[in-house]
């Protein structure tokens, strides 16, 4: 890591900041997070320096230390910042009055959109779970992984109750949907020499999202043949 | 990287090694490759030192430099060494007299087995494509990615001709199958706090492989409903 973790060394005042200052702080933090997100989107790892974040945001690199305390703090804040839409969508979908099929369709589209916009998401999540103290790692895992699996569990229950889905394992569904979404962005460079970088435009994301839904939807349908019975 | 790349600095004699020496060389190289594979299977990155490979193999660390020239050379050799079975299976399946459905089933089982045994495979492939000079990167991509996509293209053609598959994009199939396989191992630690490490035993790999085949097979079937028609 280019920046040493120094959580707790932040000199940020805890209270009593006047409102206008708080507003400026939020603008500054957002600019630093956007700059970090841009840098990570261009790379296939999590290597960057405070100086790069400063240069990209047009601000002093020292503000990273001031606002986030350490690189670890910056990355933890980035995970929360980048996944707000995704987490909100999952929470919203779970409670919505809508067929399980439509929920699955919207969720698959959401996964492809999320990973296309934030290609570093899974990498960041994985790093934070490995690099955080046990209790914090557990909290991150519960929040970002446990919640998705719980959503799948309820979605499958609903689909089964509606007579549309088979009862499949939510962990299996997690690996197929999230694994595919992550691979789509994390390993894209592997395919560029073959497909051409122009092959990965927004049309690809849309058509791939549609196909992923089609395949998974057909695969989980209640009447789906298993083990290749069609060839028997 | 812990070891600087020094391709070309190998002092290995090019010819005239007596047969017994060649045999010993092969045994040594295999031991070094096995030790590297073990180290990478335990980690989620490609960071390791020559000294660690030496210690793990019970041999002198200098033999890495002697046999592979550099860390890059060692990793390139490991990719070839680790993927032999996978590449052989794909080549063999493509030409086999067997239904497209059975080829798909064997291939999916092969992917789950391959990624379970060599969890570092995609990480290694990705690194070598990014770190190699353009021509070498292109060769690796053609060999390891292009060949798989070509296999999918022929498999889909066969399935369509047999009236069993829909015509789907082989690149879509690549992301779903290879993405899922890679995620299954690369991001497993994300799920361990929730599923428990005992949840990822050989039974999980088998049942997950069966489910992945079921879902993908049902999803690519010619009669599969698209876009959730079942709810219309």
């Amino acid at each position: 890591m280019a920046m040493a973790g120094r959580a707790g060394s932040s000199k940020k005042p805890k209270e009593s900041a006047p409102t206008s200052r708080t507003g400026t702080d939020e603008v500054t933090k957002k600019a630093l997070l956007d700059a970090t997100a841009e840098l990570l989107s261009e790379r296939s790892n999590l290597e960057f320096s405070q100086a790069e974040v400063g240069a990209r945001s047009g601000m002093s690199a020292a503000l990273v230390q001031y606002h986030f305390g350490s690189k670890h703090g910056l990355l933890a804040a980035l995970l929360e910042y980048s996944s707000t839409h995704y987490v909100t969508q999952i929470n919203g979908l779970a409670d919505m009055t809508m067929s399980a099929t439509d929920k699955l369709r919207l969720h698959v589209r959401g996964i492809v959109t999320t990973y296309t916009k934030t290609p570093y998401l899974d990498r960041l999540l994985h790093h934070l779970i490995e690099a955080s103290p046990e209790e914090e790692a557990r909290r991150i895992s519960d929040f970002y992984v446990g919640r998705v699996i719980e959503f799948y569990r309820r979605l499958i229950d609903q689909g089964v109750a509606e007579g549309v889905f088979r009862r499949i394992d939510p962990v299996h569904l997690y690996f197929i949907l999230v694994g595919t979404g992550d691979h789509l962005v994390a390993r894209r460079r592997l395919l560029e020499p073959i497909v051409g970088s122009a092959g990965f435009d927004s049309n690809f994301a849309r058509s791939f999202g549609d196909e992923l839904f089609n395949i998974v939807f057909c695969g989980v349908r209640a009447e789906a043949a298993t083990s290749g019975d069609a060839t028997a």
Side-chain angles (χ1 to χ4, degrees), chain A:
Chain A
M1 293 295 161
M3 289 164 56
R6 267 188 283 168
S9 70
S10 166
K11 297 179 215 108
K12 191 179 173 187
K14 276 194 173 162
E15 297 286 343
S16 77
T19 314
S20 62
R21 174 57 188 272
T22 308
T24 313
D25 275 4
E26 289 312 309
V27 171
T28 305
K29 284 164 79 173
K30 186 175 179 312
L32 295 170
L33 290 169
D34 284 335
T36 310
E38 266 186 41
L39 290 169
L40 291 186
S41 297
E42 294 161 9
R43 296 169 192 189
S44 59
N45 53 39
L46 296 173
E47 303 293 325
F48 63 89
S49 69
Q50 230 165 330
E52 286 177 297
V53 175
R56 182 63 66 104
S57 65
M59 292 180 173
S60 161
L63 287 167
V64 173
Q65 201 73 21
Y66 175 76
H67 283 293
F68 301 104
S70 64
K71 181 171 180 176
H72 184 82
L74 173 63
L75 291 176
L78 182 64
L79 177 63
E80 205 178 316
Y81 178 68
S82 303
S83 61
T84 306
H85 179 76
Y86 182 57
V87 169
T88 306
Q89 198 222 30
I90 284 179
N91 288 342
L93 272 182
D95 296 320
M96 222 171 258
T97 309
M98 185 188 278
S99 71
T101 303
D102 284 340
K103 286 184 183 178
L104 179 63
R105 182 189 293 109
L106 288 178
H107 174 64
V108 169
R109 202 174 289 161
I111 282 185
V112 173
T113 305
T114 297
Y115 281 98
T116 303
K117 282 189 182 157
T118 50
Y120 52 83
L121 195 63
D122 238 64
R123 196 185 334 149
L124 181 59
L125 181 59
H126 195 246
H127 167 77
L128 286 171
I129 289 180
E130 292 223 313
S132 300
E134 196 175 329
E135 200 178 325
E136 175 71 1
R138 171 86 212 192
R139 195 195 63 77
I140 296 173
S141 183
D142 279 348
F143 190 81
Y144 292 99
V145 184
R147 179 177 301 228
V148 178
I149 291 178
E150 182 54 29
F151 169 63
Y152 291 164
R153 195 183 308 279
R154 289 179 57 189
L155 180 66
I156 294 162
D157 281 348
Q158 184 188 339
V160 170
E162 290 170 357
V164 182
F165 290 1
R166 295 186 287 129
R167 183 160 295 288
I168 69 165
D169 185 332
V171 175
H172 291 170
L173 192 58
Y174 179 92
F175 275 118
I176 292 172
L177 290 180
V178 178
T180 300
D182 181 37
H183 209 85
L184 182 64
V185 293
R187 306 299 194 208
R188 175 168 298 190
R189 281 208 51 188
L190 296 182
L191 276 87
E192 278 183 0
I194 289 156
V195 180
S197 54
F200 289 116
D201 56 9
S202 57
N203 286 332
F204 179 83
R206 195 163 31 242
S207 73
F208 180 73
D210 289 347
E211 189 62 277
L212 180 59
F213 167 74
N214 283 340
I215 287 183
V216 171
F217 171 68
C218 296
V220 302
R221 276 198 307 167
E223 65 264 42
T226 54
S227 307
D229 293 350
T231 60

